[in-house]
């Protein structure tokens, strides 16, 4: 059995206390993770602070180190992916894809640079604009894509010249700690520290006086706590929070043609994706056909243990989330919803059947809250303006999509959605060349490309008089 350790100041570090990590496919504890002490938290942040001045100096050295880091992750991808499946639940091929995608993200970030801009250059003087790193960045991550979300944050912060203390979710700490083992010698000591522990460790990290920026991904509620904690010290924040994405399906689609894409837009990672389709508004003329196509697909893909090759969809990640999804379904049923297919646990660990639900309304919790699980409520509409208004009537604003062969009309509708990313005839597609972030309660700030880099830096104007 692997002995998991923290990464502090370049050293793999054991702890006195530990906490249990559960395999969601069985509901059984399968490993212990190190619980970082307050003193170790202090050492981690202190070493990041110490490493910062040197690390911030040479962009080319940082780029080379990030490339080494990506290689190290690729080399250990099999081991990391297996542990990711065991602790998160997703099928092994998806876990492998996540780990490999993380290495690509790091390579992409390594090639991002915002060079000095000269704003004015005259006989009188010169005005330069520099992008300066903050210092120590606290990166805090959720349990749905533990490796890729962490590596996206870390790579962006590091290439911009910051140093990082990374804290994964207590439900999925092990794959991140294995990344720490893999990249230990790729980076100078202290540049990236990885600490694991329960939620209060995250809270302690957000109020640490040496942390200058918090890059957080998680739920809206925790995001608000992070923002409050940051405000006392005016730490900068990037918040990537929850969503309740609507898909609006126009009357001119062929239900059979779009059903598979819609299905995976909702059920990828068993619905545990911030930008999954979490409610669908379908024109009444095609509603019965689309419901029946989606129900067929929900029955077709096996839900089970991610280690089993036949499994297409893993379990819900943890007991609390399993109970939340179960209770949202029960609540909807009590309020008159109809279960077209699914609607119950699989009986194995935290497995839950892929569920298609109809006869729902906008007031039901399953529709107006983020279910974050394998359940898709399908609503009908007759008037498109009404559907758009209903889709926008929420505090969430992460993503949304419009489905129609008429691209011009669909794009017009997409632009009316109040969200950070609006797709046409697809959902979930993220590109490293486009910014990603939420509007309203779904977040503050952006990740990816130059927008991510800008978020990891602050501006400095150097104004020279000749
Ligand atoms: P969560 O908010 O419960 O936890 C996220 C992280 O915050 C964990 O590491 C946790 O230990 C830590 N934490 C808990 N309390 C804290 C506190 N007071 N201060 C600092 N850190 C604290 O979220 P979760 O259940 O792990 O993840 C699911 C949520 O994440 C969903 O709402 C989902 O939509 C969202 N999410 C958003 C994005 C995005 O990019 N917008 C991506 C993935 C997930």
């Amino acid at each position: 059995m692997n002995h998991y350790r923290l990464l502090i100041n370049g050293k793999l570090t054991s702890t006195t206390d530990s906490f249990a990590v559960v395999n969601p496919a069985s509901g059984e504890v399968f490993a212990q993770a190190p619980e970082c002490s307050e003193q170790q938290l202090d050492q981690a942040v202190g070493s990041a602070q110490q490493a910062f001045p040197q690390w911030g100096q040479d962009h080319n050295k940082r780029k080379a180190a990030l490339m080494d880091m990506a290689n190290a992750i690729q080399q250990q991808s099999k081991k990391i992916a297996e542990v990711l499946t065991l602790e998160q639940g997703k099928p092994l091929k998806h876990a492998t894809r996540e780990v490999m995608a993380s290495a690509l993200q790091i390579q992409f970030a390594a090639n991002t640079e915002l060079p000095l801009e000269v704003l004015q250059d005259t006989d009188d003087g010169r005005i330069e604009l520099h992008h300066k790193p903050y210092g120590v960045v606290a990166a805090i991550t959720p349990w749905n894509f533990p490796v890729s979300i962490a590596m996206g944050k870390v790579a962006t912060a590091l290439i911009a010249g910051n140093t990082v203390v990374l804290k994964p979710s207590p439900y999925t700490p092990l794959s991140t700690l294995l990344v720490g083992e893999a990249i230990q010698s790729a980076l100078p000591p202290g540049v990236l520290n990885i600490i694991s522990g329960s939620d209060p460790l995250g809270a302690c990290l957000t109020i640490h006086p040496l942390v200058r920026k918090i890059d957080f991904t998680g739920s809206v509620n925790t995001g608000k706590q992070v923002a409050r904690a940051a405000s006392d010290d005016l730490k900068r924040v990037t918040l990537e929070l929850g969503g309740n994405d609507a898909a609006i399906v126009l009357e001119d689609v062929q239900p059979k043609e779009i059903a598979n894409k819609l299905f995976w837009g909702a059920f990828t990672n068993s619905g545990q994706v911030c930008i999954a389709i979490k409610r669908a508004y379908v024109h009444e003329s095609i509603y019965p056909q689309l419901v029946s196509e989606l129900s067929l697909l929900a029955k077709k893909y096996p839900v089970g243990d991610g280690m089993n090759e036949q499994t297409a969809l893993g379990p819900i990640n943890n007991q609390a989330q399993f109970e939340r999804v179960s209770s949202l379904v029960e609540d909807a049923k009590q309020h008159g919803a109809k279960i077209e297919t699914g609607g119950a646990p699989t009986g194995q660990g935290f497995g839950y059947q892929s569920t298609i639900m109809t006869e729902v309304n906008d007031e039901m919790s399953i529709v107006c809250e983020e279910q974050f699980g394998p359940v898709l409520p399908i609503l009908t509409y007759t008037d498109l303006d009404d559907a758009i208004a209903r889709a926008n009537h929420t505090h969430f604003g992460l993503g949304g999509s419009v489905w129609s062969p008429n691209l011009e009309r669909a794009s017009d509708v997409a632009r009316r959605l109040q969200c950070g990313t609006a797709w046409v005839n697809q959902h979930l597609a993220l590109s490293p060349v486009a910014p990603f972030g939420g509007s309203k309660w779904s977040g503050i700030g952006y990740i990816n490309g130059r927008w991510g880099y800008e978020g990891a830096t602050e501006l400095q104007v150097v104004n020279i008089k000749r």
Side-chain angles (χ1 to χ4, degrees):
M1 194 159 124
N2 202 72
H3 172 58
Y4 296 93
R5 285 166 296 174
L6 313 177
L7 180 64
I8 297 178
N9 200 20
K11 293 191 190 71
L12 295 172
T13 307
S14 299
T15 59
T16 316
D17 295 331
S18 63
F19 60 97
V21 183
V22 171
N23 178 348
S26 63
E28 308 284 338
V29 173
F30 78 100
Q32 294 291 318
E35 174 87 48
C36 177
S37 67
E38 256 180 64
Q39 199 192 4
Q40 286 172 319
L41 166 67
D42 231 25
Q43 285 166 358
V45 182
S47 75
Q49 172 80 354
Q50 227 178 350
F52 171 62
Q54 185 71 29
W55 178 251
Q57 270 178 17
D58 187 336
H59 184 90
N60 286 333
K61 279 195 185 149
R62 295 202 294 275
K63 181 174 170 175
L66 259 71
M67 288 303 194
D68 289 348
M69 186 176 159
N71 281 340
I73 291 172
Q74 275 165 345
Q75 276 165 24
Q76 296 296 318
S77 61
K78 190 168 181 292
K79 188 172 166 192
I80 299 169
E82 278 172 9
V83 167
L84 176 56
T85 290
L86 289 175
E87 66 178 356
Q88 204 287 328
K90 64 185 66 188
L92 185 56
K93 57 178 181 293
H94 298 173
T96 306
R97 213 179 293 154
E98 178 176 342
V99 176
M100 296 310 275
S102 304
L104 291 179
Q105 271 177 293
I106 296 169
Q107 287 164 350
F108 190 87
N111 284 305
T112 312
E113 189 175 3
L114 288 186
L116 140 84
E117 272 175 73
V118 178
L119 303 176
Q120 201 176 72
D121 200 0
T122 64
D123 291 346
D124 248 12
R126 178 179 155 95
I127 305 178
E128 299 171 352
L129 185 63
H130 297 257
H131 294 269
K132 311 271 282 193
Y134 287 108
V136 179
V137 171
I140 301 176
T141 52
W143 46 258
N144 57 342
F145 291 92
V147 179
S148 59
I149 291 176
M151 289 307 106
K153 290 185 187 315
V154 166
T156 305
L158 291 186
I159 193 63
N162 303 281
T163 53
V164 176
V165 179
L166 166 63
K167 191 209 83 69
S169 163
Y171 293 117
T172 54
L174 306 178
S175 47
T176 308
L177 294 168
L178 277 189
V179 168
E181 268 184 38
I183 56 95
Q184 186 195 2
S185 51
L187 297 170
V191 164
L192 172 61
N193 303 270
I194 304 179
I195 56 174
S196 61
S198 39
D199 292 349
L201 179 68
C204 290
L205 184 55
T206 59
I207 54 169
H208 197 289
L210 293 180
V211 168
R212 290 315 314 145
K213 180 180 175 190
I214 306 163
D215 188 343
F216 173 84
T217 300
S219 61
V220 168
N221 276 345
T222 313
K224 288 181 181 176
Q225 290 176 44
V226 168
R228 272 183 221 116
S231 67
D232 260 354
D233 189 27
L234 293 179
K235 296 184 202 308
R236 283 13 179 205
V237 290
T238 296
L239 302 175
E240 298 290 340
L241 308 179
N244 192 14
D245 290 13
I248 301 183
V249 184
L250 307 191
E251 70 279 9
D252 50 4
V253 301
Q254 294 297 328
K256 218 177 174 57
E257 275 176 23
I258 64 156
N260 201 52
K261 277 194 198 164
L262 263 183
F263 177 82
W264 286 107
F267 288 89
T268 291
N269 212 34
S270 300
Q272 301 163 115
V273 187
C274 54
I275 43 168
I277 298 172
K278 298 198 174 111
R279 50 200 171 115
Y281 293 88
V282 179
H283 192 270
E284 61 169 3
S285 61
I286 48 155
Y287 177 79
Q289 265 174 293
L290 191 58
V291 167
S292 110
E293 294 292 339
L294 288 169
S295 301
L296 284 176
L297 291 166
K299 285 187 198 124
K300 175 176 159 185
Y301 293 109
V303 180
D305 185 338
M307 282 301 192
N308 178 342
E309 260 189 48
Q310 312 308 318
T311 296
L313 291 162
I316 292 175
N317 171 256
N318 59 73
Q319 177 140 19
Q321 187 60 19
F322 172 82
E323 283 167 11
R324 175 169 161 75
V325 171
S326 306
S327 79
L328 284 170
V329 172
E330 288 314 309
D331 174 79
K333 277 200 239 172
Q334 273 169 25
H335 287 88
K338 179 177 170 206
I339 303 294
E340 298 286 341
T341 184
T346 60
Q348 262 191 316
F350 306 137
Y352 201 89
Q353 297 168 356
S354 302
T355 301
I356 301 290
M357 197 185 267
T358 56
E359 295 178 28
V360 281
N361 62 52
D362 293 295
E363 281 70 46
M364 288 181 185
S365 302
I366 193 78
V367 176
C368 63
E369 293 178 22
E370 182 189 34
Q371 70 271 41
F372 214 61
V375 182
L376 179 64
I378 307 182
L379 303 102
T380 52
Y381 73 90
T382 46
D383 173 58
L384 183 56
D385 287 340
D386 176 55
I388 297 169
R390 288 159 69 196
N392 286 338
H393 186 67
T394 169
H395 282 300
F396 292 103
L398 199 53
S401 59
V402 186
W403 300 73
S404 165
N406 182 339
L407 299 187
E408 205 173 319
R409 183 171 171 229
S411 309
D412 283 346
V413 177
R415 282 194 298 276
R416 291 172 64 191
L417 293 179
Q418 296 165 354
C419 55
T421 304
W423 290 278
V424 172
N425 294 329
Q426 58 178 349
H427 209 104
L428 296 181
L430 293 183
S431 161
V433 304
F436 173 70
S439 59
K440 302 195 256 183
W441 282 4
S442 288
I444 294 177
Y446 298 91
I447 59 169
N448 283 354
R450 72 177 161 87
W451 302 274
Y453 197 111
E454 278 168 5
T457 52
E458 55 195 345
L459 297 177
Q460 185 190 38
V461 173
V462 176
N463 193 336
I464 305 156
K465 178 81 183 150
R466 286 207 168 96

